[in-house]
C-alpha cells in the first residue's frame, strides 16, 4: 500500500514495481537487447534525479531496470485523462505535466517526492525526438535541478530511435545501450549557476542516434541492424515534401519503401536507418531482414537518411512561411493562406478528462491566425489568433495540439496522409511559441530544427522533375515552391501496405 507524502504526491507501489521488473523488465531487456553501463548507480542512494535523451516509448521502463526501487517519472498529462490510465500510472509513480506549459503542480510533486527520498526521472526535451537527435532542452530544468539539490545522473540511450522511430508503426528488433554517469553532485546543484547547470546538462544529453550507432558507440554490440516488419510504414508522418518534384503531401509508404505519387521517386528504408536505392523491377524487402541493404542500380536517394531529409524540408517550410509573412504583413482572405489541408478532425477539452470531438473540415494557417472550417454548411469557422496560442506540441505521432486560454484544441488527419509534424513546424515558423524557454546548443538553431540538433544551414534547390537521382549534402542550395494551398490532387487517401 502506498501513502501520500505531505505534498500530496503518491509514491509508486514498490510491490507493483518489483512485479514489473521481473516481468515487463525482463521482456524489454530481451526484446530490445538492452545492455547497461550503470556503475554510477552502485553507491548512489536516493533521493537522486535521472535525466536522459528521449528516443522511444519504452525509455522510462528501460532506464529504470538497473535502478534499485521505483523511479518516479514526469509524463504527459495525456496519459492521465482516463481513470484506468490514471490509476496505472499512479502505481508506477507517474507525475502528470502539461506539455510545453509551465506546470507548478508538477514541480511541487517532485519536491514532495524528493523529501520522501524517492528516485526521480525526467526527460528535459519534454518530447520524444523524431530523428534520434536530442532536441532543445527546457531552460527551466536547470532551475528545477537547483531546487531539488540532489545528485543528478545523466543517462545516454543509444539505439532507441532506431528501435522505435517516433513516426513508425512497428518497433524493430535491434540493440540498445544505456550509459549512466554522475553529472552533478548535490553540492554542485546548490552552488553552480543556472547557466552552468544548463550548459553541462545540454552537453551531457547531446546525442545523434544514427551517428552513434554508425560509429559503433554502442560498443556492446558493434555494428547493429534493426530488423522488423514494414520498416518504412508511416514515414510520411515525418517526411512531408518530395525532394524531386517539390510537392507536399504526396509521399506514401509501404513495406520498406517511401515514394511520391506525383513524380515516382522511390527510396528504400534499410535496417541501418538509412535510405537506399531501389533497383529497377525490385520488390520490397517486406520481411525487414536487411538482405537488401546494399544500393543497386537504382536512382540514388536524394538524402542518406530521414534526419537530413527533414532538415531540408523544414528549411524550405520556414523560408516560405516567413517570407510570405514579411511580404504580405497580416492580410485577410484566402490569398493570405500559408498552409491548408482537408480532412482535419477537431477536438477540445481541458487539462483533465476526455476530449470532445467538435467536427471535421479543413485547417488553414494564415499569417495571424489558425482557422478551422467545418465541413457542415452554415457553421461558423473556428479562428485561433496565433498570438494567443500556447502549449504547442504533438501527441503520439499523429495529433497536433495547443492551448488557447484554458481550452485545449487538438487537430488530426485520420483519413489522410498529412503530417502533423509539418503543421507543428509551420506554426512555430509563423510565430507560435515553442517549448518554454528552451536552451542548449540545439536551441541556438532556428525553429526549423525543433526536434533536431543545430546543424549548418542547408539551402537546397529541389531538382527538376525527372532528376530525382540528385543527392543533397550540406552546402547545396534548395529553393522552396511558392507558399500557399498545399492540397494535392494526387494525394493518396491512405498508407499502402
Amino acid at each position: 500500500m502506498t501513502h501520500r507524502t505531505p505534498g500530496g504526491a503518491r509514491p509508486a507501489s514498490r510491490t507493483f514495481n518489483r512485479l514489473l521488473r521481473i516481468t515487463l523488465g525482463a521482456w524489454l531487456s530481451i526484446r530490445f537487447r538492452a545492455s547497461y553501463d550503470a556503475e554510477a548507480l552502485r553507491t548512489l542512494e536516493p533521493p537522486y534525479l535521472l535525466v536522459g535523451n528521449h528516443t522511444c516509448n519504452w525509455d522510462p521502463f528501460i532506464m529504470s531496470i538497473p535502478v534499485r526501487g521505483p523511479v518516479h517519472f514526469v509524463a504527459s498529462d495525456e496519459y492521465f485523462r482516463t481513470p484506468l490510465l490514471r490509476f496505472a500510472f499512479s502505481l508506477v509513480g507517474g507525475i502528470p505535466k502539461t506539455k510545453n506549459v509551465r506546470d507548478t503542480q508538477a514541480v511541487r510533486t517532485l519536491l514532495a517526492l524528493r523529501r520522501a527520498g524517492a528516485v526521480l526521472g525526467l526527460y528535459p526535451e519534454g518530447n520524444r525526438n523524431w530523428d534520434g537527435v536530442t532536441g532543445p532542452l527546457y531552460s527551466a530544468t536547470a532551475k528545477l535541478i537547483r531546487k531539488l539539490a540532489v545528485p543528478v545522473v545523466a543517462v545516454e540511450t543509444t539505439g532507441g530511435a532506431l528501435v522505435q522511430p517516433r513516426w513508425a508503426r512497428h518497433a524493430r528488433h535491434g540493440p540498445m545501450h544505456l550509459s549512466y554517469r554522475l553529472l552533478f553532485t548535490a553540492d554542485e546543484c546548490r552552488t553552480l549557476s543556472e547557466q552552468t547547470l544548463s550548459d553541462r546538462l545540454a552537453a551531457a544529453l547531446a546525442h545523434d542516434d544514427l551517428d552513434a550507432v554508425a560509429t559503433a558507440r554502442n560498443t556492446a554490440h558493434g555494428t547493429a541492424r534493426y530488423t522488423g516488419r514494414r520498416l518504412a510504414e508511416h514515414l510520411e508522418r515525418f517526411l512531408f515534401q518530395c525532394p524531386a518534384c517539390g510537392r507536399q503531401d504526396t509521399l506514401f509508404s509501404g513495406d520498406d519503401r517511401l515514394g511520391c505519387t506525383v513524380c515516382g521517386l522511390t527510396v528504400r528504408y534499410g535496417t541501418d536507418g538509412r535510405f537506399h536505392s531501389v533497383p529497377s523491377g525490385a520488390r520490397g524487402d517486406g520481411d525487414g531482414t536487411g538482405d537488401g541493404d546494399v544500393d543497386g542500380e537504382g536512382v540514388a536517394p536524394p538524402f542518406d537518411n530521414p534526419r537530413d531529409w527533414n532538415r531540408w524540408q523544414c528549411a524550405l517550410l520556414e523560408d516560405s512561411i516567413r517570407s510570405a509573412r514579411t511580404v504580405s504583413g497580416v492580410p485577410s482572405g484566402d490569398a493570405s493562406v500559408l498552409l491548408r489541408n482537408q480532412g482535419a478532425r477537431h477536438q477540445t477539452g481541458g487539462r483533465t478528462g476526455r476530449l470532445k470531438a467538435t467536427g471535421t473540415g479543413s485547417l488553414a494557417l494564415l499569417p495571424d491566425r489558425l482557422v478551422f472550417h467545418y465541413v457542415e454548411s452554415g457553421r461558423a469557422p473556428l479562428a485561433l489568433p496565433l498570438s494567443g496560442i500556447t502549449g504547442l506540441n504533438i501527441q503520439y505521432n499523429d495529433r497536433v495540439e495547443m492551448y488557447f486560454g484554458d481550452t485545449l484544441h487538438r487537430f488530426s488527419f485520420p483519413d489522410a496522409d498529412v503530417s502533423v509534424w509539418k503543421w507543428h513546424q509551420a506554426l512555430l515558423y509563423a510565430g507560435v511559441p515553442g517549448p518554454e524557454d528552451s536552451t542548449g546548443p540545439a536551441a541556438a538553431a532556428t525553429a526549423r530544427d525543433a526536434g533536431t540538433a543545430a546543424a549548418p544551414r542547408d539551402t537546397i534547390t529541389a531538382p527538376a522533375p525527372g532528376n530525382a537521382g540528385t543527392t543533397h549534402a550540406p552546402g547545396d542550395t534548395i529553393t522552396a515552391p511558392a507558399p500557399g494551398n498545399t492540397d494535392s490532387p494526387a494525394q493518396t487517401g491512405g498508407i499502402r501496405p
Side-chain angles (χ1 to χ4, degrees):
M1 181 177 180
T2 60
H3 301 278
R4 291 190 182 277
T5 67
R10 185 188 296 276
S13 166
R14 289 185 173 274
T15 301
F16 185 69
N17 274 266
R18 281 194 292 268
L19 178 63
L20 281 182
R21 190 179 302 275
I22 61 177
T23 55
L24 179 63
W27 178 80
L28 288 173
S29 293
I30 296 171
R31 171 66 174 79
F32 296 123
R33 293 164 53 190
S35 61
Y36 301 89
D37 178 7
E39 185 66 26
L41 301 179
R42 185 177 297 277
T43 58
L44 201 58
E45 294 295 332
Y48 59 87
L49 173 67
L50 298 172
V51 294
N53 56 311
H54 202 0
T55 59
C56 74
N57 278 332
W58 294 108
D59 280 342
F61 299 96
I62 296 175
M63 184 193 284
S64 301
I65 290 174
V67 180
R68 298 189 303 273
V71 181
H72 300 73
F73 277 97
V74 176
S76 169
D77 58 4
E78 167 69 13
Y79 302 120
F80 295 80
R81 289 193 176 278
T82 66
L84 180 60
L85 279 175
R86 190 159 54 246
F87 174 72
F89 272 84
S90 71
L91 288 177
V92 297
I95 304 168
K97 183 192 180 300
T98 304
K99 282 188 177 182
N100 295 351
V101 173
R102 296 188 184 276
D103 193 329
T104 56
Q105 179 57 51
V107 174
R108 288 195 294 269
T109 301
L110 285 165
L111 291 172
L113 288 168
R114 178 208 62 185
R115 291 191 292 270
V119 179
L120 309 174
L122 179 68
Y123 290 100
E125 294 167 87
N127 294 276
R128 284 180 291 149
N129 53 60
W130 285 76
D131 56 6
V133 180
T134 303
L137 312 182
Y138 290 141
S139 62
T141 306
K143 183 179 294 185
L144 175 64
I145 287 174
R146 292 200 73 186
K147 285 184 177 180
L148 292 173
V150 296
V152 177
V153 176
V155 184
E156 182 181 19
T157 300
T158 299
L162 294 176
V163 162
Q164 190 182 47
R166 183 165 182 178
W167 46 263
R169 180 177 182 180
H170 301 289
R172 286 86 160 109
H173 294 271
M176 294 177 65
H177 183 71
L178 287 81
S179 177
Y180 299 68
R181 70 182 182 90
L182 182 65
L183 182 59
F184 302 118
T185 65
D187 285 340
E188 286 176 321
C189 293
R190 298 185 189 97
T191 58
L192 294 177
S193 69
E194 287 184 16
Q195 188 60 56
T196 300
L197 291 170
S198 182
D199 290 344
R200 285 175 56 178
L201 178 67
L205 298 185
H207 180 86
D208 185 321
D209 221 31
L210 193 66
D211 288 349
V213 171
T215 56
R217 285 179 63 189
N218 188 0
T219 55
H221 299 284
T223 302
R225 295 203 175 274
Y226 296 83
T227 62
R229 296 184 296 154
R230 302 176 180 177
L231 296 181
E233 190 167 29
H234 290 322
L235 243 176
E236 63 270 37
R237 288 177 173 172
F238 182 40
L239 303 180
F240 53 81
Q241 185 158 359
C242 175
C245 66
R247 300 291 296 272
Q248 291 183 4
D249 305 330
T250 61
L251 298 175
F252 69 91
S253 60
D255 286 341
D256 60 351
R257 306 299 168 87
L258 180 71
C260 176
T261 60
V262 171
C263 68
L265 170 71
T266 304
V267 297
R268 184 170 51 79
Y269 182 83
T271 59
D272 55 357
R274 299 178 184 275
F275 291 124
H276 300 268
S277 61
V278 179
S280 178
R283 296 179 60 84
D285 181 22
D287 61 359
T289 59
D291 297 337
D293 283 358
V294 178
D295 290 316
E297 296 181 356
V299 175
F303 294 100
D304 175 71
N305 56 73
R307 176 199 62 202
D308 295 346
W309 189 321
N310 175 62
R311 288 175 176 171
W312 167 80
Q313 68 182 7
C314 284
L316 294 189
L317 185 64
E318 179 190 15
D319 289 343
S320 67
I321 288 178
R322 291 189 171 173
S323 62
R325 296 183 84 231
T326 300
V327 172
S328 61
V330 186
S332 60
D334 286 345
S336 63
V337 171
L338 305 177
L339 196 66
R340 180 165 57 204
N341 280 113
Q342 307 289 340
R345 181 191 185 200
H346 178 237
Q347 295 172 282
T348 61
R351 296 197 179 189
T352 60
R354 295 180 183 272
L355 301 186
K356 177 183 177 182
T358 69
T360 58
S362 65
L363 187 62
L365 175 62
L366 279 68
D368 65 332
R369 62 194 183 279
L370 185 67
V371 181
F372 182 72
H373 292 273
Y374 293 95
V375 71
E376 297 89 351
S377 61
R379 190 172 179 183
L382 168 72
L384 303 177
L386 301 185
S387 59
I389 292 177
T390 60
L392 176 66
N393 74 92
I394 296 175
Q395 285 290 354
Y396 307 106
N397 58 17
D398 57 356
R399 304 157 206 189
V400 62
E401 64 181 32
M402 64 214 70
Y403 278 89
F404 193 84
D406 293 329
T407 301
L408 176 69
H409 295 268
R410 176 181 289 177
F411 298 95
S412 59
F413 299 88
D415 299 319
D417 299 335
V418 176
S419 167
V420 296
W421 169 255
K422 175 188 71 174
W423 277 93
H424 177 273
Q425 296 303 97
L427 286 163
L428 287 178
Y429 306 149
V432 172
E436 49 183 283
D437 301 326
S438 56
T439 188
T446 60
R448 76 172 181 276
D449 291 319
T452 68
R457 170 79 179 216
D458 297 336
T459 31
I460 306 176
T461 303
N467 293 335
T470 303
T471 300
H472 299 300
D476 292 345
T477 312
I478 305 180
T479 301
N485 188 338
T486 60
D487 296 339
S488 170
Q491 182 176 334
T492 56
I495 297 171
R496 301 181 182 181

